[in-house]
Amino acid sequence: MTTTESRPVIAVDLGGTNLRVALVDGDGTVLARHRVPTPAQGSITDALAELIAELECDPDYSAVVAVPGLVDYERRSALWAPHLPPAWVTELAEDRLASRLCRRVSVANDADLAAVGETYFGAGRSATDVVFVTVSTGIGAGVLLNRRLVRGRRSVAEVGHTIIDRHAFSNGEPATLEELASGSSVARLTQIAAVEADTGEQLEALEESGDDRATAVWMQMVESVTIGVINLAWCYGPDLIIIGGGIGRERPLLDPVQERLTEMAPTIAMKFTLVKEELADDAGLIGGAAWDRANTIGAS
């Protein structure tokens, strides 16, 4: 007899650019997947229903939908998703999705779900207390202590929106970690520094070619990410911090962050290991296989 834990799960990654869905086995193996551009208008529940139908899977399989924004876990719905059409937020509720998709549905914060994936099946599979940080278009984090997701009524660890520059904040200038170190901040930072780069990839290429101004901007971003990592370490005391995301997984970012942390080690009370993610963009999809386990007391 197939148990709930071993039964495949439908995992949905609702991104600002692409809408991805996968059928994931209980051991984290992706059995099938589909991807389409995220629609700019229309009903998101209809779009999800059409995409999930492509998988042709058992109606008994539950679904986990990752939302790029705050989730109200008590009300079982999205609360705020700045990178998605505002009308979709009200649609992203478990009862509405379950009715339309004809199956049990869980709504999850995307960083939380990716943190579960990396903890159970990726870089954190041997760790107990894990923080996952994603540095991409935005910056987010998910935390598992004793391999159980840390959350309250709402999703927590929204490190991207924490203020790390008090003076900029006082002056009404960009002051949060996301505003100072994410992919969406690159164009503004490079414009100020007169660097011809609009994306993280372009900035990285210039930095590697020896462009001094590009290197200065890159190191500003490194410093900001380092501050965010240290803040998370003090808040949660993890054994392991995993850095991922399109920018975060790049060695030119990970190495200097590690160097700065090593320099500051004597001032940090706890010790943790910093590593790169293993599952890349599939972390959230694969995390669907362990979502129920990570939200159950005594999970392992």
Side-chain angles (χ1 to χ4, degrees):
M1 180 176 179
T2 302
T3 64
T4 301
E5 185 174 302
S6 63
R7 181 181 298 162
V9 172
I10 299 167
V12 177
D13 178 23
L14 180 51
T17 303
N18 291 308
L19 178 58
R20 300 188 302 148
V21 62
L23 182 63
V24 186
D25 207 355
D27 63 359
T29 302
V30 176
L31 304 174
R33 67 171 76 220
H34 289 284
R35 180 181 69 177
V36 297
T38 302
Q41 56 187 3
S43 167
I44 187 58
T45 51
D46 288 345
L48 288 176
E50 292 176 7
L51 192 57
I52 289 174
E54 297 279 348
L55 295 175
E56 299 181 347
C57 55
D58 194 313
D60 287 337
Y61 295 166
S62 63
V64 183
V65 179
V67 178
L70 283 174
V71 169
D72 189 326
Y73 286 119
E74 183 176 288
R75 295 186 177 181
R76 301 178 179 276
S77 64
L79 188 63
W80 177 63
H83 301 297
L84 298 179
W88 287 3
V89 175
T90 56
E91 288 191 68
L92 295 171
E94 291 182 8
D95 55 352
R96 293 190 61 171
L97 290 167
S99 176
R100 181 66 178 86
L101 302 179
C102 301
R103 65 185 72 247
R104 183 173 72 88
V105 177
S106 298
V107 173
N109 168 267
D110 58 350
D112 284 348
L113 194 58
V116 170
E118 284 291 342
T119 298
Y120 279 81
F121 306 109
R125 65 173 66 86
S126 299
T128 299
D129 299 328
V130 178
V131 168
F132 172 77
V133 185
T134 176
V135 185
S136 190
T137 302
I139 296 179
V143 180
L144 282 85
L145 300 183
N146 199 27
R147 300 180 69 79
R148 183 170 184 265
L149 183 68
V150 174
R151 63 175 179 83
R153 170 184 170 182
R154 300 181 179 90
S155 50
V156 298
E158 290 286 349
V159 67
H161 301 296
T162 59
I163 297 165
I164 63 170
D165 188 330
R166 180 177 66 82
H167 295 292
F169 177 74
S170 298
N171 294 328
E173 300 169 353
T176 68
L177 177 57
E178 187 167 296
E179 290 170 330
L180 297 175
S182 69
S184 60
S185 72
V186 169
R188 178 181 56 79
L189 294 173
T190 53
Q191 183 177 21
I192 293 172
V195 175
E196 295 184 2
D198 294 321
T199 67
E201 291 80 3
Q202 292 172 353
L203 178 62
E204 179 192 339
L206 285 175
E207 192 274 333
E208 291 183 335
S209 72
D211 186 296
D212 290 340
R213 289 180 297 182
T215 297
V217 173
W218 188 261
M219 292 311 297
Q220 284 180 335
M221 295 176 67
V222 166
E223 193 81 353
S224 295
V225 172
T226 303
I227 291 171
V229 168
I230 290 172
N231 289 343
L232 286 166
W234 277 115
C235 288
Y236 298 105
D239 307 316
L240 185 72
I241 295 183
I242 304 169
I243 296 187
I247 295 177
R249 73 175 66 106
E250 294 299 327
R251 185 60 61 183
L253 177 70
L254 192 65
D255 283 348
V257 168
Q258 181 65 72
E259 290 172 8
R260 292 292 287 122
L261 289 173
T262 300
E263 292 170 6
M264 301 181 69
T267 68
I268 298 178
M270 77 290 293
K271 299 294 183 181
F272 61 90
T273 302
L274 183 72
V275 298
K276 183 175 69 172
E277 66 178 359
E278 290 185 7
L279 304 180
D281 291 337
D282 280 347
L285 294 175
I286 293 173
W291 182 248
D292 286 342
R293 276 179 275 171
N295 280 273
T296 302
I297 294 177
S300 61

